[in-house]
Amino acid sequence: MLHIILYFQVHQPYRLRPYRALHIGKSHHYFDDELNRSIIDKVSDKCYIPANSILKELIDKFEGRFKVSFSITGTLVEQLRENRPDVLESFRGLVQQGGVELLGETYYHSLSCLFDEEEFLEQVRRHSRLLEEEFGARPVTFRNTELIYSDSISDFVSELPQFRIILTEGADKILKWRAPLYAYKSYNRKHLLLLKYYRLSDDIAFRFSDRSWVEHPLKVDKFVDWITKLPLVEKENKNLYLNLFMDYETFGEHQWSDTGIFEFIRHLPECVLKKDFLSFAWPSEMIDSLNYEPESLSVPEPVSWADTERDLSAWLSNSLQGNAMKTSYDLLERIKERGRSDLLEIARRLSTSDLYYYMCTKYFQDGDVHKYFSPYSSPEDAYVYFINVLADLEKRMEEGT
Amino acid sequence: MRVLTLTWEFPPLFTGGLGMACYGIVKALLRLGIEVDLIIPTKEEVYFPLRKEEDADSLPLSFPDPGKRKKRGGKITIKEILEEGAIVGAYYTTGERVWERIWERIWEEEPLEAYRKSSSLDNLRQLLSGDHFLFQEVRRYTTLAFGIAKQLDFDVIHAHDWLTYPAGILLKEFSGKPLAVHMHATEFDRAGGPGAEGIHHIEYLGISLADRVIAVSGYTANMLAERYRADKRKIRVAHNAFALSGKEKEKKRLFKEITILFLGRITIQKGPDYFLEVARRVLEKEKNVRFIVGGIGDMQRQMLHRSASFAPGTKILFAGFLKREEVEEILRAADIFVMPSVSEPFGIVTLEAMSYGAVAIVSRQSGIVEVVKNVYKVDFWDIDRIVSIILELVSKPEKLREVSRKSVEEAKKFQWEETARKIADVYKEIKER
């Protein structure tokens, strides 16, 4: 059996306003409320509302045979609560309907795993509490920010025994000759690993509307045909997992409605479920469906799902990101030491990975995906505003104001 | 005495360093009773007849073409025009044919004269025929100024910096009136060495064809003599000054740490890379400091990346482009001002920083060091020395306070009147020749 696991990342950061050096000490207004609100509105109308309604319809129609999983961040839930309670209600409806598994991650979609194990665990715990409060869900599957994973992350997560499964990228450099369709175990054998099948995932997430792509336009029949042609000859009847992981905003936001992306997802289940050896599954179901002892994967260096490098370079490859990240996490630690709970929330929002992503200079000249996501005119601007905000926050902490 | 003043900047339009200096000079000249007809790069054919001191602020404007003057009404000021959103700010946009016409007109009206003068003018014409944006703008300004000034009556021509030299040269040739060219900065200063060839040529022509060259410092006068082989007898030095503008002068800290400021364009001339190196070295030894880089420029991206590579946390901040009030705000917050310019003809900003009580550490490769006492004078490349001065000042607050107090006192002595008197002497000399 080949289990198709659909996981959608649902996240929006708190973007900073153009906070200048001369604002320091005069204004503690760091986040661009208007911009953040307008993006929440735009994404809600273009993606969350229509996509949720399609999923609802499909879950009903296939009576439990169509399954998806979501990872919804704390920073998004807060912003929906504030600006679009209707959208939060619609996610809640989906969960109550029973077709959705919710995954655990850091509340702030942060890079805390790289700097501070305690902070990382605290953010994960806080996220789990949020899922319980908002959705009545208790996650057993963990996915880290941007699918960042390494051996030490499995070690960290093992502090939280409820998590049995971790999702990450099926990067060639960790899989080598192995196929991403099998289940694996972490090096310490404490977690089951599900690896993103990046080629087929990215066919939907990135290439779907690319007119220069030879396979354009991508129709459901063709896609499902590719799935059936995967090397499925599994003599020992091992259960396999096809992990299609992507941003939820793929539907209607990254790929606009007129590309046919909604029709694609609408017709995917019927096409898949026609084949008797294909099914949809939640990540947590692998605990029961697994019928073999998985191999261990050693991942000494972090991998992620970002860019072609599939490493940390989207957030941590130039000096701007280096100084910003180190300064911000140092400050977070000092704020905690001093018990400044009033500043802690802000410092944590500043740990969100997107803010460092905006400072990336890797592809900036070529106007690549980084530019698409950045609200600033240059990575340097993103850095300057960020450092200025940290300077003000640091001043408040030191002055006790 | 009436002077035709040609400049690229004048507040409230284009308020760079050149604009502020021209404002100070023109205002002081008016106080001395010298009348000024001002031509700046405007979209329409207008000039500014300035007759009394207040005119330098209100900028009443006039259309030399009587028809247009009538249509617009008699008294109109730049502020009204700006509020109308009508003109000024964008440059003259009539395009290339006008430039060609001006030469045709010269030939038609004064064929013999033009023939006689053709070699130097042809030289100028060729220099300005390039496609570069800046040269096109200079061409437009020259055309504009020539068209307007032909209808005006004045005694001497005063052209500020190379951008207006072509206009000055042409007008001298065809009006027969004497020309003074003012050197606020040479291309050698801006480029940190030899720069654009065409600009060097225009500066050279200006110096050669003018009756007097006014340099903003002895440093600049020497540079003109050495680099352009200018005739020293033609050069007069009139040091810049500065006028207090902001009302609030007392210190207002932004940070509790000693705040060390760089303020200027982030470009090779101003030595921002030396400032960052100083910051890096000071931060290795001293935590009670905060560095601020104020300004923008072609090296800002590079400087930002370099500063981040020191992992300075929030100790080096970039303030970006600063409006006038913001400049004052940041000067009030600064304890130490560093001007590590590779070549600085004068450096008015030092006087300003001093007047706000910032202790100045300034490059010896500048004009300002000729006229001030209570500053630290250093070679721009001498990072060791700048670092040790800063560390000493940080460790001795009483010394910092003392030098600060002296700086405020000394800055008060500078007045544009003195500069204007020297300039007025130049006018008198050349008018009587």
Side-chain angles (χ1 to χ4, degrees), chain A residues 321-336:
Chain A
Q321 295 168 311
N323 187 49
M325 212 178 280
K326 185 176 179 306
T327 308
S328 147
Y329 280 91
D330 281 354
L331 185 60
L332 177 63
E333 202 180 332
R334 283 193 287 156
I335 286 174
K336 279 200 281 188

PDB file of all heavy atoms in Angstrom, chain A residues 321-336:
ATOM      1  N   GLN A 321      22.477  38.245   8.598  1.00  0.00           N
ATOM      2  CA  GLN A 321      21.667  37.242   9.302  1.00  0.00           C
ATOM      3  C   GLN A 321      22.388  36.754  10.548  1.00  0.00           C
ATOM      4  O   GLN A 321      21.770  36.538  11.591  1.00  0.00           O
ATOM      5  CB  GLN A 321      21.381  36.069   8.365  1.00  0.00           C
ATOM      6  CG  GLN A 321      20.518  36.459   7.178  1.00  0.00           C
ATOM      7  CD  GLN A 321      20.489  35.365   6.113  1.00  0.00           C
ATOM      8  OE1 GLN A 321      21.541  34.854   5.708  1.00  0.00           O
ATOM      9  NE2 GLN A 321      19.308  35.007   5.656  1.00  0.00           N
ATOM     10  N   GLY A 322      23.700  36.594  10.431  1.00  0.00           N
ATOM     11  CA  GLY A 322      24.497  36.113  11.559  1.00  0.00           C
ATOM     12  C   GLY A 322      24.377  37.050  12.745  1.00  0.00           C
ATOM     13  O   GLY A 322      24.051  36.636  13.863  1.00  0.00           O
ATOM     14  N   ASN A 323      24.619  38.344  12.493  1.00  0.00           N
ATOM     15  CA  ASN A 323      24.566  39.305  13.600  1.00  0.00           C
ATOM     16  C   ASN A 323      23.139  39.448  14.132  1.00  0.00           C
ATOM     17  O   ASN A 323      22.928  39.507  15.343  1.00  0.00           O
ATOM     18  CB  ASN A 323      25.112  40.666  13.159  1.00  0.00           C
ATOM     19  CG  ASN A 323      25.235  41.635  14.325  1.00  0.00           C
ATOM     20  OD1 ASN A 323      25.793  41.292  15.365  1.00  0.00           O
ATOM     21  ND2 ASN A 323      24.683  42.823  14.167  1.00  0.00           N
ATOM     22  N   ALA A 324      22.168  39.487  13.225  1.00  0.00           N
ATOM     23  CA  ALA A 324      20.781  39.665  13.648  1.00  0.00           C
ATOM     24  C   ALA A 324      20.341  38.493  14.533  1.00  0.00           C
ATOM     25  O   ALA A 324      19.741  38.685  15.597  1.00  0.00           O
ATOM     26  CB  ALA A 324      19.866  39.774  12.429  1.00  0.00           C
ATOM     27  N   MET A 325      20.659  37.289  14.102  1.00  0.00           N
ATOM     28  CA  MET A 325      20.177  36.115  14.816  1.00  0.00           C
ATOM     29  C   MET A 325      20.844  35.975  16.174  1.00  0.00           C
ATOM     30  O   MET A 325      20.188  35.764  17.187  1.00  0.00           O
ATOM     31  CB  MET A 325      20.447  34.880  13.953  1.00  0.00           C
ATOM     32  CG  MET A 325      19.405  33.803  14.125  1.00  0.00           C
ATOM     33  SD  MET A 325      19.726  32.399  13.076  1.00  0.00           S
ATOM     34  CE  MET A 325      19.092  32.935  11.503  1.00  0.00           C
ATOM     35  N   LYS A 326      22.155  36.137  16.178  1.00  0.00           N
ATOM     36  CA  LYS A 326      22.880  35.984  17.443  1.00  0.00           C
ATOM     37  C   LYS A 326      22.411  37.055  18.438  1.00  0.00           C
ATOM     38  O   LYS A 326      22.113  36.748  19.596  1.00  0.00           O
ATOM     39  CB  LYS A 326      24.387  36.130  17.194  1.00  0.00           C
ATOM     40  CG  LYS A 326      25.194  35.869  18.449  1.00  0.00           C
ATOM     41  CD  LYS A 326      26.685  35.926  18.172  1.00  0.00           C
ATOM     42  CE  LYS A 326      27.470  35.691  19.460  1.00  0.00           C
ATOM     43  NZ  LYS A 326      27.076  36.605  20.547  1.00  0.00           N
ATOM     44  N   THR A 327      22.302  38.283  17.962  1.00  0.00           N
ATOM     45  CA  THR A 327      21.907  39.379  18.842  1.00  0.00           C
ATOM     46  C   THR A 327      20.507  39.151  19.390  1.00  0.00           C
ATOM     47  O   THR A 327      20.235  39.353  20.576  1.00  0.00           O
ATOM     48  CB  THR A 327      21.943  40.709  18.070  1.00  0.00           C
ATOM     49  OG1 THR A 327      23.216  40.828  17.434  1.00  0.00           O
ATOM     50  CG2 THR A 327      21.748  41.885  18.993  1.00  0.00           C
ATOM     51  N   SER A 328      19.614  38.694  18.525  1.00  0.00           N
ATOM     52  CA  SER A 328      18.237  38.531  18.924  1.00  0.00           C
ATOM     53  C   SER A 328      18.076  37.394  19.950  1.00  0.00           C
ATOM     54  O   SER A 328      17.364  37.530  20.942  1.00  0.00           O
ATOM     55  CB  SER A 328      17.409  38.302  17.659  1.00  0.00           C
ATOM     56  OG  SER A 328      16.343  37.457  17.894  1.00  0.00           O
ATOM     57  N   TYR A 329      18.758  36.285  19.718  1.00  0.00           N
ATOM     58  CA  TYR A 329      18.633  35.172  20.668  1.00  0.00           C
ATOM     59  C   TYR A 329      19.353  35.453  21.981  1.00  0.00           C
ATOM     60  O   TYR A 329      18.903  35.036  23.047  1.00  0.00           O
ATOM     61  CB  TYR A 329      19.083  33.859  20.021  1.00  0.00           C
ATOM     62  CG  TYR A 329      17.992  33.279  19.144  1.00  0.00           C
ATOM     63  CD1 TYR A 329      17.913  33.579  17.796  1.00  0.00           C
ATOM     64  CD2 TYR A 329      17.008  32.460  19.699  1.00  0.00           C
ATOM     65  CE1 TYR A 329      16.890  33.079  16.998  1.00  0.00           C
ATOM     66  CE2 TYR A 329      15.978  31.950  18.914  1.00  0.00           C
ATOM     67  CZ  TYR A 329      15.919  32.262  17.566  1.00  0.00           C
ATOM     68  OH  TYR A 329      14.912  31.763  16.799  1.00  0.00           O
ATOM     69  N   ASP A 330      20.477  36.209  21.921  1.00  0.00           N
ATOM     70  CA  ASP A 330      21.143  36.623  23.163  1.00  0.00           C
ATOM     71  C   ASP A 330      20.211  37.494  23.995  1.00  0.00           C
ATOM     72  O   ASP A 330      20.093  37.342  25.208  1.00  0.00           O
ATOM     73  CB  ASP A 330      22.403  37.455  22.854  1.00  0.00           C
ATOM     74  CG  ASP A 330      23.569  36.572  22.460  1.00  0.00           C
ATOM     75  OD1 ASP A 330      23.425  35.333  22.536  1.00  0.00           O
ATOM     76  OD2 ASP A 330      24.620  37.119  22.070  1.00  0.00           O
ATOM     77  N   LEU A 331      19.549  38.412  23.300  1.00  0.00           N
ATOM     78  CA  LEU A 331      18.663  39.338  23.987  1.00  0.00           C
ATOM     79  C   LEU A 331      17.484  38.582  24.618  1.00  0.00           C
ATOM     80  O   LEU A 331      17.091  38.844  25.761  1.00  0.00           O
ATOM     81  CB  LEU A 331      18.167  40.401  23.000  1.00  0.00           C
ATOM     82  CG  LEU A 331      17.315  41.517  23.569  1.00  0.00           C
ATOM     83  CD1 LEU A 331      18.089  42.292  24.634  1.00  0.00           C
ATOM     84  CD2 LEU A 331      16.885  42.484  22.463  1.00  0.00           C
ATOM     85  N   LEU A 332      16.949  37.631  23.871  1.00  0.00           N
ATOM     86  CA  LEU A 332      15.840  36.814  24.372  1.00  0.00           C
ATOM     87  C   LEU A 332      16.244  36.135  25.693  1.00  0.00           C
ATOM     88  O   LEU A 332      15.486  36.113  26.665  1.00  0.00           O
ATOM     89  CB  LEU A 332      15.472  35.773  23.306  1.00  0.00           C
ATOM     90  CG  LEU A 332      14.381  34.759  23.622  1.00  0.00           C
ATOM     91  CD1 LEU A 332      13.045  35.447  23.838  1.00  0.00           C
ATOM     92  CD2 LEU A 332      14.251  33.751  22.487  1.00  0.00           C
ATOM     93  N   GLU A 333      17.470  35.622  25.683  1.00  0.00           N
ATOM     94  CA  GLU A 333      17.948  34.933  26.883  1.00  0.00           C
ATOM     95  C   GLU A 333      18.077  35.908  28.050  1.00  0.00           C
ATOM     96  O   GLU A 333      17.670  35.602  29.178  1.00  0.00           O
ATOM     97  CB  GLU A 333      19.300  34.299  26.555  1.00  0.00           C
ATOM     98  CG  GLU A 333      19.645  33.163  27.480  1.00  0.00           C
ATOM     99  CD  GLU A 333      20.996  32.558  27.113  1.00  0.00           C
ATOM    100  OE1 GLU A 333      21.388  32.622  25.928  1.00  0.00           O
ATOM    101  OE2 GLU A 333      21.664  32.054  28.031  1.00  0.00           O
ATOM    102  N   ARG A 334      18.643  37.078  27.790  1.00  0.00           N
ATOM    103  CA  ARG A 334      18.814  38.058  28.864  1.00  0.00           C
ATOM    104  C   ARG A 334      17.466  38.546  29.395  1.00  0.00           C
ATOM    105  O   ARG A 334      17.300  38.783  30.581  1.00  0.00           O
ATOM    106  CB  ARG A 334      19.647  39.245  28.359  1.00  0.00           C
ATOM    107  CG  ARG A 334      21.144  38.895  28.287  1.00  0.00           C
ATOM    108  CD  ARG A 334      21.977  40.143  28.094  1.00  0.00           C
ATOM    109  NE  ARG A 334      21.840  40.655  26.734  1.00  0.00           N
ATOM    110  CZ  ARG A 334      22.041  41.917  26.391  1.00  0.00           C
ATOM    111  NH1 ARG A 334      22.350  42.823  27.308  1.00  0.00           N
ATOM    112  NH2 ARG A 334      21.931  42.299  25.137  1.00  0.00           N
ATOM    113  N   ILE A 335      16.506  38.699  28.476  1.00  0.00           N
ATOM    114  CA  ILE A 335      15.168  39.141  28.902  1.00  0.00           C
ATOM    115  C   ILE A 335      14.551  38.101  29.842  1.00  0.00           C
ATOM    116  O   ILE A 335      13.929  38.436  30.844  1.00  0.00           O
ATOM    117  CB  ILE A 335      14.274  39.417  27.672  1.00  0.00           C
ATOM    118  CG1 ILE A 335      14.709  40.729  27.015  1.00  0.00           C
ATOM    119  CG2 ILE A 335      12.803  39.466  28.047  1.00  0.00           C
ATOM    120  CD1 ILE A 335      14.002  41.041  25.705  1.00  0.00           C
ATOM    121  N   LYS A 336      14.777  36.835  29.518  1.00  0.00           N
ATOM    122  CA  LYS A 336      14.259  35.773  30.387  1.00  0.00           C
ATOM    123  C   LYS A 336      14.949  35.793  31.747  1.00  0.00           C
ATOM    124  O   LYS A 336      14.303  35.700  32.789  1.00  0.00           O
ATOM    125  CB  LYS A 336      14.450  34.403  29.727  1.00  0.00           C
ATOM    126  CG  LYS A 336      13.373  34.104  28.695  1.00  0.00           C
ATOM    127  CD  LYS A 336      13.261  32.620  28.417  1.00  0.00           C
ATOM    128  CE  LYS A 336      14.351  32.168  27.473  1.00  0.00           C
ATOM    129  NZ  LYS A 336      14.167  30.776  27.016  1.00  0.00           N
TER     130      LYS A 336
END
